[in-house]
């Protein structure tokens, strides 16, 4: 299972752009928990620009039932928001 999202990484929040295998946390709108995510297809080449990415949850498959197309989320490194995303589709 995975989901396709449109992602933006903020300039000034990270020294370099992440690559495949990047494992931050996400906070989805309407939910307050930090959920571990893993980027499995990510070709980031510029900050502050929307890019597509394929993401999976790192630990719990049941999280897929709690997200919906169009849902927004924050990309977190500890307490720091380094980017944001929007769920485009969910593959089950």
């Amino acid at each position: 299972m995975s989901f396709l999202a449109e992602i933006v990484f903020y300039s000034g929040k990270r020294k370099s752009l992440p690559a495949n295998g990047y494992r931050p946390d996400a906070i989805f709108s309407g939910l307050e928990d930090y959920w571990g995510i893993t980027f499995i297809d990510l070709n980031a080449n510029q900050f502050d620009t929307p890019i597509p990415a394929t993401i999976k949850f790192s630990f719990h498959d049941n999280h897929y039932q709690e997200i919906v197309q169009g849902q927004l989320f924050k990309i977190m490194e500890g307490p720091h928001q380094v980017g944001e995303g929007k769920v485009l589709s969910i593959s089950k």
Side-chain angles (χ1 to χ4, degrees):
M1 298 176 82
S2 63
F3 63 95
L4 178 64
E6 183 178 72
I7 303 297
V8 174
F9 291 105
Y10 304 145
S11 59
K13 297 293 183 176
R14 300 188 91 246
K15 292 183 180 183
S16 62
L17 289 162
N20 289 341
Y22 174 55
R23 294 181 65 177
D25 288 314
I27 301 174
F28 287 81
S29 61
L31 306 168
E32 296 182 17
D33 296 329
Y34 278 63
W35 290 346
I37 58 174
T38 302
F39 284 80
I40 56 176
D41 185 13
L42 174 64
N43 294 309
N45 57 13
Q46 188 174 350
F47 286 106
D48 304 316
T49 301
I51 56 166
T54 303
I55 301 169
K56 67 177 184 175
F57 288 108
S58 301
F59 305 108
H60 300 288
D61 282 344
N62 64 322
H63 291 324
Y64 294 100
Q65 299 169 14
E66 299 181 55
I67 62 170
V68 295
Q69 185 175 352
Q71 191 169 14
L72 303 176
F73 60 96
K74 299 174 186 177
I75 301 170
M76 306 296 292
E77 291 182 1
H80 306 286
Q81 184 177 353
V82 297
E84 63 186 26
K86 178 180 179 181
V87 176
L88 298 177
S89 64
I90 304 164
S91 302
K92 297 184 179 185

Coordinates of all heavy atoms in Angstrom, one line a residue:
M1 N 0.8 -1.2 0.0 CA 0.0 0.0 0.0 C 0.9 1.2 0.0 O 2.0 1.2 0.6 CB -0.9 0.0 1.2 CG -1.9 -1.2 1.3 SD -2.9 -1.2 2.8 CE -4.1 0.0 2.4
S2 N 0.4 2.3 -0.6 CA 1.1 3.5 -0.7 C 0.1 4.6 -1.1 O -1.0 4.4 -1.4 CB 2.3 3.5 -1.7 OG 1.8 3.2 -3.0
F3 N 0.6 5.9 -1.1 CA -0.2 7.0 -1.6 C 0.7 7.9 -2.4 O 1.9 8.1 -2.1 CB -1.0 7.7 -0.5 CG -0.2 8.4 0.6 CD1 0.1 9.7 0.5 CD2 0.2 7.7 1.7 CE1 0.8 10.4 1.5 CE2 0.9 8.3 2.7 CZ 1.2 9.7 2.6
L4 N 0.1 8.5 -3.4 CA 0.7 9.5 -4.2 C 0.4 10.9 -3.6 O -0.8 11.2 -3.3 CB 0.3 9.4 -5.6 CG 0.8 10.5 -6.6 CD1 2.3 10.3 -6.8 CD2 0.1 10.3 -8.0
A5 N 1.4 11.8 -3.5 CA 1.1 13.1 -2.9 C 1.9 14.1 -3.7 O 2.9 13.8 -4.4 CB 1.6 13.1 -1.5
E6 N 1.4 15.4 -3.6 CA 2.2 16.5 -4.1 C 2.9 17.1 -2.9 O 2.2 17.4 -1.9 CB 1.2 17.5 -4.8 CG 1.9 18.7 -5.4 CD 0.9 19.6 -6.0 OE1 0.2 20.3 -5.3 OE2 0.9 19.7 -7.3
I7 N 4.2 17.3 -3.0 CA 5.0 17.6 -1.8 C 5.7 18.9 -2.1 O 6.2 19.2 -3.3 CB 6.1 16.6 -1.6 CG1 5.4 15.2 -1.3 CG2 7.0 16.9 -0.5 CD1 4.6 15.2 -0.1
V8 N 5.9 19.8 -1.1 CA 6.8 20.9 -1.2 C 7.7 20.9 0.0 O 7.2 20.8 1.2 CB 6.0 22.3 -1.2 CG1 6.9 23.5 -1.1 CG2 5.0 22.3 -2.3
F9 N 9.0 21.0 -0.2 CA 10.0 21.1 0.9 C 10.4 22.6 1.0 O 10.7 23.2 -0.1 CB 11.2 20.2 0.6 CG 10.9 18.8 0.7 CD1 10.8 18.0 -0.4 CD2 10.7 18.2 2.0 CE1 10.5 16.6 -0.3 CE2 10.4 16.8 2.1 CZ 10.3 16.1 0.9
Y10 N 10.4 23.1 2.2 CA 10.6 24.6 2.4 C 12.1 24.9 2.3 O 12.9 24.2 3.0 CB 10.1 25.0 3.7 CG 8.6 24.8 3.9 CD1 8.2 24.5 5.2 CD2 7.7 24.9 2.9 CE1 6.9 24.3 5.5 CE2 6.4 24.7 3.2 CZ 5.9 24.4 4.4 OH 4.6 24.2 4.7
S11 N 12.5 25.9 1.6 CA 13.9 26.4 1.6 C 14.2 26.9 3.0 O 13.3 27.5 3.7 CB 14.2 27.4 0.6 OG 13.3 28.5 0.8
G12 N 15.4 26.8 3.5 CA 15.8 27.3 4.8 C 15.5 26.4 5.9 O 15.8 26.7 7.1
K13 N 14.8 25.3 5.7 CA 14.4 24.3 6.8 C 15.3 23.1 6.8 O 15.4 22.4 7.8 CB 12.9 23.9 6.6 CG 12.0 25.1 6.8 CD 12.0 25.6 8.2 CE 11.0 26.8 8.4 NZ 11.0 27.2 9.8
R14 N 15.9 22.8 5.6 CA 16.8 21.6 5.4 C 18.0 22.1 4.7 O 17.9 23.0 3.8 CB 16.1 20.5 4.7 CG 14.9 19.9 5.3 CD 14.4 18.7 4.5 NE 15.1 17.5 5.2 CZ 16.0 16.8 4.6 NH1 16.4 17.0 3.4 NH2 16.5 15.8 5.3
K15 N 19.1 21.5 4.9 CA 20.4 21.9 4.2 C 20.4 21.3 2.8 O 20.9 21.9 1.9 CB 21.6 21.4 4.9 CG 21.8 22.2 6.2 CD 23.0 21.8 6.9 CE 23.2 22.6 8.2 NZ 24.4 22.3 8.9
S16 N 19.7 20.1 2.6 CA 19.7 19.5 1.3 C 18.3 18.9 1.1 O 17.6 18.6 2.0 CB 20.8 18.5 1.2 OG 20.6 17.4 2.1
L17 N 18.0 18.6 -0.2 CA 16.7 18.0 -0.5 C 16.8 16.5 -0.2 O 17.9 15.9 -0.4 CB 16.4 18.2 -1.9 CG 16.0 19.6 -2.3 CD1 16.1 19.8 -3.8 CD2 14.6 19.9 -1.8
P18 N 15.7 15.9 0.3 CA 15.8 14.5 0.6 C 15.7 13.6 -0.6 O 15.3 14.1 -1.7 CB 14.5 14.3 1.5 CG 13.6 15.4 1.2 CD 14.5 16.5 0.8
A19 N 15.9 12.3 -0.5 CA 15.9 11.4 -1.6 C 15.0 10.2 -1.2 O 14.5 10.1 -0.1 CB 17.3 11.0 -1.9
N20 N 14.9 9.2 -2.1 CA 14.2 8.0 -1.8 C 14.7 7.4 -0.4 O 15.9 7.4 -0.2 CB 14.4 6.9 -2.9 CG 13.7 7.3 -4.1 OD1 12.8 8.1 -4.1 ND2 14.1 6.7 -5.2
G21 N 13.8 6.9 0.4 CA 14.2 6.3 1.6 C 14.1 7.3 2.8 O 14.2 6.9 3.9
Y22 N 13.9 8.6 2.5 CA 13.7 9.6 3.5 C 12.5 9.2 4.4 O 11.5 8.9 4.0 CB 13.5 10.9 2.8 CG 13.1 12.1 3.7 CD1 13.9 12.5 4.7 CD2 12.0 12.9 3.4 CE1 13.6 13.6 5.5 CE2 11.7 14.0 4.2 CZ 12.5 14.4 5.2 OH 12.2 15.5 6.0
R23 N 12.7 9.3 5.8 CA 11.8 8.8 6.7 C 11.4 9.9 7.8 O 11.8 9.8 8.9 CB 12.3 7.6 7.4 CG 12.4 6.4 6.4 CD 12.9 5.2 7.1 NE 11.9 4.8 8.1 CZ 11.9 3.7 8.8 NH1 13.0 2.9 8.8 NH2 11.0 3.4 9.7
P24 N 10.7 10.9 7.4 CA 10.2 11.9 8.4 C 8.9 11.4 9.1 O 8.5 10.3 8.9 CB 9.9 13.1 7.5 CG 9.4 12.5 6.3 CD 10.2 11.3 6.1
D25 N 8.3 12.3 9.8 CA 6.9 12.0 10.3 C 6.0 12.9 9.5 O 6.4 13.9 8.9 CB 6.8 12.4 11.8 CG 7.6 11.3 12.6 OD1 7.4 10.1 12.4 OD2 8.3 11.8 13.5
A26 N 4.7 12.6 9.6 CA 3.6 13.4 9.0 C 2.5 13.7 10.0 O 2.2 12.8 10.8 CB 3.1 12.8 7.7
I27 N 1.9 14.9 9.9 CA 0.7 15.2 10.7 C -0.3 15.5 9.7 O -0.2 16.5 8.9 CB 0.9 16.3 11.7 CG1 2.1 16.0 12.7 CG2 -0.4 16.6 12.4 CD1 2.4 17.2 13.6
F28 N -1.4 14.7 9.6 CA -2.4 14.9 8.6 C -3.5 15.8 9.2 O -3.8 15.8 10.4 CB -3.0 13.6 8.2 CG -2.1 12.8 7.3 CD1 -1.1 12.0 7.9 CD2 -2.3 12.8 6.0 CE1 -0.2 11.3 7.1 CE2 -1.4 12.1 5.1 CZ -0.4 11.4 5.7
S29 N -4.1 16.7 8.3 CA -5.1 17.6 8.8 C -6.3 16.8 9.4 O -6.7 15.7 8.9 CB -5.6 18.5 7.6 OG -6.2 17.7 6.6
G30 N -6.8 17.3 10.5 CA -7.9 16.6 11.2 C -7.4 15.6 12.1 O -8.2 15.0 12.9
L31 N -6.1 15.3 12.1 CA -5.5 14.3 13.0 C -4.4 15.0 13.7 O -3.7 15.9 13.2 CB -5.1 13.1 12.3 CG -6.2 12.4 11.4 CD1 -5.5 11.4 10.4 CD2 -7.2 11.8 12.2
E32 N -4.0 14.6 14.9 CA -3.0 15.2 15.7 C -1.7 14.4 15.9 O -0.7 14.9 16.3 CB -3.5 15.7 17.0 CG -4.6 16.7 16.9 CD -5.1 17.1 18.3 OE1 -4.4 16.9 19.3 OE2 -6.2 17.7 18.4
D33 N -1.8 13.1 15.5 CA -0.7 12.2 15.8 C 0.4 12.4 14.7 O 0.2 12.7 13.6 CB -1.2 10.8 15.8 CG -2.1 10.5 16.9 OD1 -2.0 11.1 18.0 OD2 -3.0 9.6 16.7
Y34 N 1.6 12.1 15.2 CA 2.8 12.0 14.3 C 2.8 10.6 13.7 O 2.8 9.6 14.5 CB 4.1 12.2 15.0 CG 4.5 13.7 15.3 CD1 3.7 14.5 16.0 CD2 5.7 14.2 14.7 CE1 4.1 15.8 16.2 CE2 6.1 15.5 14.9 CZ 5.3 16.3 15.7 OH 5.7 17.6 15.9
W35 N 2.8 10.4 12.4 CA 2.9 9.1 11.8 C 4.1 9.0 11.0 O 4.4 9.9 10.2 CB 1.7 8.9 10.9 CG 0.4 8.7 11.6 CD1 0.2 8.5 13.0 CD2 -0.9 8.7 11.1 NE1 -1.1 8.4 13.2 CE2 -1.9 8.5 12.1 CE3 -1.4 8.9 9.8 CZ2 -3.2 8.5 11.9 CZ3 -2.7 8.8 9.5 CH2 -3.7 8.6 10.6
G36 N 4.9 7.9 11.1 CA 6.1 7.7 10.4 C 5.7 7.4 8.9 O 4.9 6.6 8.6
I37 N 6.4 8.1 8.0 CA 6.2 7.9 6.6 C 7.6 7.6 5.9 O 8.6 8.0 6.5 CB 5.5 9.0 5.8 CG1 6.3 10.4 6.0 CG2 4.1 9.2 6.3 CD1 5.7 11.5 5.2
T38 N 7.6 6.9 4.8 CA 8.8 6.7 4.0 C 8.6 7.0 2.6 O 7.6 6.6 2.0 CB 9.2 5.2 4.1 OG1 9.4 4.8 5.5 CG2 10.5 4.9 3.3
F39 N 9.4 7.9 2.0 CA 9.3 8.2 0.6 C 9.9 7.1 -0.2 O 11.1 6.8 -0.1 CB 10.0 9.6 0.4 CG 9.3 10.7 0.8 CD1 9.3 11.1 2.2 CD2 8.5 11.5 0.0 CE1 8.6 12.2 2.6 CE2 7.8 12.6 0.4 CZ 7.8 13.0 1.7
I40 N 9.1 6.5 -1.1 CA 9.6 5.4 -1.9 C 9.9 5.8 -3.3 O 10.6 5.1 -4.0 CB 8.7 4.1 -1.8 CG1 7.3 4.5 -2.2 CG2 8.7 3.6 -0.4 CD1 6.4 3.3 -2.3
D41 N 9.3 6.9 -3.8 CA 9.7 7.5 -5.1 C 9.6 9.0 -4.9 O 8.6 9.6 -4.9 CB 8.6 7.0 -6.1 CG 9.0 7.4 -7.5 OD1 10.2 7.9 -7.8 OD2 8.1 7.4 -8.4
L42 N 10.8 9.6 -4.9 CA 11.0 11.0 -4.6 C 12.1 11.5 -5.5 O 13.3 11.0 -5.4 CB 11.3 11.3 -3.2 CG 11.6 12.7 -2.8 CD1 10.4 13.6 -3.0 CD2 12.0 12.7 -1.3
N43 N 11.8 12.5 -6.3 CA 12.8 13.1 -7.2 C 12.8 14.6 -7.0 O 12.5 15.4 -7.9 CB 12.6 12.8 -8.7 CG 12.8 11.3 -9.0 OD1 13.8 10.7 -8.6 ND2 11.8 10.7 -9.6
A44 N 13.2 15.0 -5.8 CA 13.2 16.4 -5.4 C 14.4 17.1 -6.0 O 15.5 16.6 -5.8 CB 13.2 16.6 -3.9
N45 N 14.2 18.2 -6.7 CA 15.4 18.9 -7.3 C 15.3 20.4 -7.0 O 16.2 21.1 -7.5 CB 15.5 18.6 -8.8 CG 14.2 19.0 -9.6 OD1 13.4 19.7 -9.0 ND2 14.1 18.5 -10.8
Q46 N 14.3 20.8 -6.3 CA 14.2 22.3 -6.0 C 13.3 22.5 -4.8 O 12.3 21.8 -4.6 CB 13.6 23.0 -7.2 CG 13.7 24.5 -7.1 CD 13.2 25.2 -8.4 OE1 13.1 24.5 -9.4 NE2 13.0 26.5 -8.3
F47 N 13.7 23.4 -3.9 CA 12.9 23.7 -2.7 C 11.7 24.6 -3.2 O 11.8 25.3 -4.2 CB 13.7 24.5 -1.7 CG 14.7 23.7 -0.9 CD1 16.0 23.7 -1.2 CD2 14.2 22.8 0.1 CE1 16.9 23.0 -0.4 CE2 15.1 22.1 0.8 CZ 16.5 22.1 0.6
D48 N 10.7 24.7 -2.4 CA 9.5 25.6 -2.6 C 8.8 25.3 -3.9 O 8.1 26.2 -4.4 CB 10.0 27.0 -2.5 CG 10.6 27.3 -1.1 OD1 10.1 26.9 -0.1 OD2 11.7 28.0 -1.2
T49 N 8.9 24.1 -4.5 CA 8.3 23.8 -5.7 C 7.5 22.5 -5.6 O 8.1 21.5 -5.1 CB 9.3 23.6 -6.9 OG1 10.0 24.9 -7.0 CG2 8.7 23.3 -8.2
P50 N 6.2 22.4 -5.9 CA 5.5 21.2 -5.8 C 6.0 20.1 -6.7 O 6.3 20.3 -7.8 CB 4.1 21.6 -6.2 CG 4.0 23.0 -6.1 CD 5.4 23.5 -6.4
I51 N 6.2 18.9 -6.1 CA 6.7 17.7 -6.9 C 5.8 16.5 -6.4 O 5.3 16.4 -5.3 CB 8.1 17.4 -6.6 CG1 8.4 17.3 -5.1 CG2 9.0 18.5 -7.2 CD1 9.8 16.7 -4.8
P52 N 5.6 15.5 -7.3 CA 4.9 14.3 -7.0 C 5.9 13.4 -6.2 O 7.1 13.4 -6.4 CB 4.5 13.7 -8.3 CG 5.6 14.2 -9.3 CD 6.0 15.6 -8.8
A53 N 5.3 12.6 -5.3 CA 6.1 11.6 -4.5 C 5.2 10.5 -4.1 O 4.0 10.7 -3.8 CB 6.7 12.3 -3.3
T54 N 5.7 9.3 -4.1 CA 5.0 8.1 -3.6 C 5.5 7.8 -2.2 O 6.7 7.8 -2.0 CB 5.2 6.9 -4.6 OG1 4.8 7.2 -5.9 CG2 4.4 5.7 -4.1
I55 N 4.6 7.6 -1.3 CA 4.9 7.5 0.1 C 4.2 6.3 0.7 O 3.1 6.0 0.2 CB 4.4 8.8 0.8 CG1 5.1 10.0 0.2 CG2 4.7 8.7 2.3 CD1 4.5 11.4 0.7
K56 N 4.8 5.7 1.6 CA 4.1 4.6 2.4 C 4.3 4.9 3.9 O 5.2 5.6 4.3 CB 4.7 3.2 2.1 CG 6.1 3.0 2.5 CD 6.5 1.6 2.2 CE 7.9 1.3 2.7 NZ 8.3 0.0 2.6
F57 N 3.3 4.4 4.7 CA 3.5 4.5 6.1 C 4.5 3.5 6.6 O 4.6 2.4 6.1 CB 2.1 4.2 6.8 CG 1.2 5.4 6.6 CD1 0.1 5.2 5.8 CD2 1.4 6.6 7.2 CE1 -0.8 6.3 5.6 CE2 0.5 7.6 7.0 CZ -0.6 7.5 6.2
S58 N 5.4 4.0 7.5 CA 6.5 3.2 7.9 C 6.1 2.0 8.8 O 6.8 1.0 8.9 CB 7.6 4.1 8.6 OG 8.0 5.1 7.7
F59 N 5.1 2.2 9.6 CA 4.8 1.2 10.7 C 3.4 0.6 10.7 O 3.3 -0.5 11.1 CB 5.1 1.9 12.0 CG 6.5 2.5 12.2 CD1 6.6 3.9 12.1 CD2 7.6 1.7 12.2 CE1 7.9 4.4 12.2 CE2 8.8 2.2 12.3 CZ 9.0 3.6 12.3
H60 N 2.4 1.3 10.3 CA 1.0 0.8 10.5 C 0.2 0.9 9.2 O -0.1 2.0 8.7 CB 0.3 1.6 11.6 CG 1.0 1.4 12.9 ND1 1.0 0.3 13.6 CD2 1.7 2.3 13.6 CE1 1.6 0.5 14.8 NE2 2.1 1.7 14.8
D61 N -0.2 -0.2 8.6 CA -1.0 -0.1 7.4 C -2.4 0.4 7.7 O -3.1 0.9 6.8 CB -1.1 -1.5 6.8 CG 0.1 -1.9 6.0 OD1 1.0 -1.0 5.7 OD2 0.3 -3.1 5.7
N62 N -2.9 0.3 8.9 CA -4.2 0.8 9.2 C -4.4 2.3 9.0 O -5.5 2.8 8.9 CB -4.7 0.4 10.6 CG -3.8 1.1 11.7 OD1 -2.6 1.2 11.6 ND2 -4.5 1.4 12.8
H63 N -3.3 3.1 8.9 CA -3.3 4.5 8.7 C -4.0 4.8 7.3 O -4.5 5.9 7.2 CB -2.0 5.2 8.8 CG -1.4 5.2 10.2 ND1 -2.2 5.4 11.3 CD2 -0.1 5.0 10.6 CE1 -1.4 5.3 12.4 NE2 -0.1 5.1 12.0
Y64 N -3.8 3.9 6.4 CA -4.4 4.2 5.0 C -5.9 4.4 5.1 O -6.5 5.1 4.3 CB -4.1 3.1 4.1 CG -2.6 3.0 3.8 CD1 -1.8 2.0 4.4 CD2 -2.0 3.8 2.9 CE1 -0.4 1.9 4.2 CE2 -0.6 3.7 2.6 CZ 0.1 2.8 3.3 OH 1.5 2.7 3.0
Q65 N -6.6 3.8 6.1 CA -8.0 3.9 6.2 C -8.4 5.3 6.8 O -9.5 5.7 6.7 CB -8.5 2.8 7.2 CG -8.3 1.4 6.7 CD -8.6 0.4 7.7 OE1 -9.2 0.7 8.8 NE2 -8.1 -0.9 7.5
E66 N -7.4 6.0 7.3 CA -7.7 7.3 8.0 C -7.4 8.5 7.1 O -7.6 9.6 7.5 CB -7.0 7.3 9.3 CG -7.4 6.2 10.3 CD -6.6 6.3 11.6 OE1 -6.7 7.4 12.2 OE2 -6.0 5.3 12.0
I67 N -6.8 8.3 5.9 CA -6.5 9.4 5.1 C -7.5 9.4 3.8 O -8.0 8.3 3.5 CB -5.1 9.4 4.6 CG1 -4.7 8.2 3.8 CG2 -4.2 9.6 5.8 CD1 -3.3 8.3 3.2
V68 N -7.6 10.5 3.2 CA -8.5 10.6 2.1 C -7.8 11.5 1.0 O -7.0 12.3 1.3 CB -9.9 11.2 2.4 CG1 -10.7 10.3 3.4 CG2 -9.7 12.6 3.0
Q69 N -8.3 11.3 -0.2 CA -7.8 12.1 -1.3 C -8.1 13.6 -1.0 O -9.1 13.9 -0.5 CB -8.5 11.7 -2.6 CG -7.9 12.4 -3.8 CD -8.6 11.8 -5.1 OE1 -9.3 10.8 -5.1 NE2 -8.3 12.5 -6.2
G70 N -7.1 14.4 -1.3 CA -7.2 15.9 -1.0 C -6.8 16.3 0.3 O -6.7 17.5 0.6
Q71 N -6.5 15.4 1.2 CA -6.1 15.7 2.6 C -4.7 16.3 2.6 O -3.8 15.9 2.0 CB -6.2 14.4 3.5 CG -6.0 14.7 5.0 CD -6.4 13.5 5.8 OE1 -6.4 12.3 5.2 NE2 -6.6 13.6 7.1
L72 N -4.6 17.3 3.4 CA -3.3 18.0 3.6 C -2.5 17.4 4.7 O -3.1 16.9 5.7 CB -3.5 19.5 3.8 CG -4.3 20.3 2.7 CD1 -4.5 21.7 3.1 CD2 -3.6 20.2 1.4
F73 N -1.2 17.5 4.7 CA -0.4 17.1 5.8 C 0.9 17.9 5.9 O 1.4 18.5 4.9 CB -0.1 15.6 5.7 CG 0.7 15.1 4.5 CD1 2.1 15.0 4.5 CD2 0.0 14.8 3.3 CE1 2.7 14.5 3.4 CE2 0.7 14.4 2.2 CZ 2.0 14.2 2.2
K74 N 1.5 17.9 7.1 CA 2.8 18.6 7.4 C 3.8 17.5 7.4 O 3.6 16.4 7.9 CB 2.7 19.3 8.7 CG 1.7 20.3 8.8 CD 1.7 20.9 10.2 CE 0.5 21.9 10.4 NZ 0.4 22.3 11.8
I75 N 5.0 17.8 6.8 CA 6.2 17.0 6.9 C 7.0 17.5 8.0 O 7.5 18.6 8.0 CB 6.9 17.0 5.6 CG1 6.0 16.5 4.4 CG2 8.2 16.1 5.7 CD1 6.6 16.7 3.1
M76 N 7.3 16.6 9.0 CA 7.9 17.0 10.3 C 9.3 16.3 10.5 O 9.4 15.1 10.2 CB 7.0 16.7 11.4 CG 5.6 17.3 11.3 SD 5.6 19.1 11.3 CE 6.1 19.4 13.0
E77 N 10.2 17.0 11.0 CA 11.5 16.4 11.5 C 11.5 16.8 12.9 O 11.9 18.0 13.3 CB 12.7 16.9 10.7 CG 12.7 16.4 9.3 CD 14.0 16.8 8.5 OE1 14.8 17.6 9.1 OE2 14.1 16.4 7.3
G78 N 11.1 15.9 13.8 CA 11.0 16.3 15.2 C 9.9 17.4 15.3 O 8.8 17.2 14.7
P79 N 10.2 18.5 16.0 CA 9.2 19.5 16.2 C 9.2 20.5 15.0 O 8.4 21.5 15.0 CB 9.6 20.2 17.5 CG 11.0 20.1 17.5 CD 11.3 18.7 16.9
H80 N 10.0 20.3 14.0 CA 10.2 21.3 12.9 C 9.5 20.8 11.7 O 9.7 19.7 11.2 CB 11.7 21.5 12.6 CG 12.5 21.8 13.8 ND1 12.5 23.1 14.4 CD2 13.3 21.1 14.6 CE1 13.2 23.1 15.4 NE2 13.8 21.9 15.6
Q81 N 8.6 21.7 11.1 CA 8.0 21.5 9.9 C 8.9 21.8 8.8 O 9.3 23.0 8.6 CB 6.6 22.3 9.8 CG 5.9 21.9 8.5 CD 4.6 22.6 8.4 OE1 4.1 23.3 9.3 NE2 3.9 22.5 7.2
V82 N 9.2 20.9 7.9 CA 10.2 21.1 6.8 C 9.5 21.1 5.4 O 10.1 21.3 4.4 CB 11.3 20.0 6.8 CG1 12.1 20.2 8.1 CG2 10.8 18.6 6.6
G83 N 8.2 20.8 5.4 CA 7.5 20.8 4.2 C 6.0 20.5 4.4 O 5.5 20.4 5.6
E84 N 5.3 20.3 3.3 CA 3.9 20.0 3.4 C 3.5 19.2 2.2 O 4.2 19.1 1.2 CB 3.0 21.3 3.4 CG 3.2 22.1 2.2 CD 2.5 23.5 2.3 OE1 2.3 24.0 3.5 OE2 2.1 24.0 1.3
G85 N 2.3 18.6 2.2 CA 1.9 17.7 1.1 C 0.4 17.7 1.1 O -0.3 18.1 2.0
K86 N -0.1 17.1 -0.1 CA -1.5 16.9 -0.3 C -1.6 15.5 -0.9 O -0.9 15.2 -1.9 CB -2.0 18.0 -1.3 CG -3.5 17.8 -1.6 CD -3.9 18.9 -2.6 CE -5.4 18.7 -3.0 NZ -5.8 19.8 -3.9
V87 N -2.5 14.7 -0.4 CA -2.8 13.3 -0.9 C -3.5 13.5 -2.2 O -4.6 14.1 -2.3 CB -3.6 12.5 0.1 CG1 -3.9 11.1 -0.4 CG2 -2.9 12.4 1.5
L88 N -2.9 12.9 -3.3 CA -3.5 12.9 -4.6 C -4.3 11.6 -4.8 O -5.4 11.6 -5.4 CB -2.5 13.0 -5.7 CG -1.7 14.3 -5.6 CD1 -0.6 14.3 -6.7 CD2 -2.6 15.5 -5.8
S89 N -3.8 10.4 -4.4 CA -4.5 9.2 -4.6 C -3.9 8.2 -3.6 O -2.8 8.3 -3.1 CB -4.4 8.7 -6.0 OG -3.0 8.4 -6.3
I90 N -4.7 7.1 -3.3 CA -4.3 6.1 -2.4 C -4.3 4.7 -3.1 O -5.3 4.4 -3.7 CB -5.2 6.0 -1.2 CG1 -5.2 7.4 -0.5 CG2 -4.8 4.9 -0.2 CD1 -6.3 7.6 0.5
S91 N -3.2 4.0 -3.1 CA -3.2 2.7 -3.7 C -3.3 1.6 -2.7 O -2.5 1.6 -1.7 CB -1.9 2.5 -4.5 OG -1.7 3.5 -5.5
K92 N -4.2 0.7 -2.8 CA -4.4 -0.3 -1.8 C -4.1 -1.7 -2.4 O -3.9 -2.0 -3.4 CB -5.8 -0.3 -1.2 CG -6.0 1.0 -0.5 CD -7.4 1.0 0.1 CE -7.5 2.3 0.8 NZ -8.7 2.5 1.6

